[in-house]
Amino acid sequence: QVQLAESGGGLVQAGGSLRLSCAASGSNFRLNSMGWYRQAPGKQREFVATITRTGSTDYADSVKGRFTISRDNAKNTVYLQMNSLKPDDTAVYYCNAVITILFNGNLQPYWGQGTQVTVSS
């Protein structure tokens, strides 16, 4: 069984910064792409950023130039550095990972439980 645990959310004023972390734990797995999604009240979950195992990244247009995704493969952890935060960034942020289960080779998506980010104006 693989689990993703997020941390780093909180309350910040507009213009401020936060850093989210997501650590994968378990056994007999390999992390492939990892990413972040977010869901604001009354809205659908939306893509924020993703990073491949080799470090290629992609971002939603709304966060380009403000957010940076990175990962530490040795620690099975992905990060999201969020700068110049806006009230529109307020949402629950979810970590996502595509994981290879080593004993059968199956690819499976996993989600974290979410962490709240609130940006006040």
Side-chain angles (χ1 to χ4, degrees):
Q1 185 73 12
V2 178
Q3 292 185 328
L4 300 178
E6 298 119 331
S7 61
L11 173 64
V12 65
Q13 288 188 333
S17 299
L18 283 174
R19 188 192 194 208
L20 306 183
S21 300
C22 172
S25 62
S27 60
N28 297 314
F29 70 95
R30 189 185 85 150
L31 289 170
N32 300 300
S33 62
M34 302 184 76
W36 292 92
Y37 289 71
R38 66 187 182 186
Q39 187 166 17
K43 295 186 177 181
Q44 290 187 334
R45 190 173 298 188
E46 64 176 8
F47 166 77
V48 176
T50 189
I51 184 168
T52 66
R53 186 170 180 84
T54 55
S56 297
T57 59
D58 190 22
Y59 296 91
D61 287 343
S62 59
V63 307
K64 280 181 181 176
R66 301 188 298 122
F67 290 11
T68 302
I69 189 170
S70 61
R71 65 190 287 170
D72 185 333
N73 290 332
K75 295 182 179 180
N76 288 332
T77 300
V78 64
Y79 306 96
L80 186 68
Q81 178 66 44
M82 305 185 293
N83 299 328
S84 302
L85 282 161
K86 306 174 182 179
D88 284 349
D89 295 318
T90 296
V92 177
Y93 283 70
Y94 295 92
C95 174
N96 169 266
V98 177
I99 292 173
T100 300
I101 305 301
L102 294 179
F103 80 89
N104 60 14
N106 287 345
L107 287 173
Q108 293 184 8
Y110 281 79
W111 291 91
Q113 80 286 354
T115 185
Q116 177 70 46
V117 171
T118 303
V119 184
S120 63
S121 57

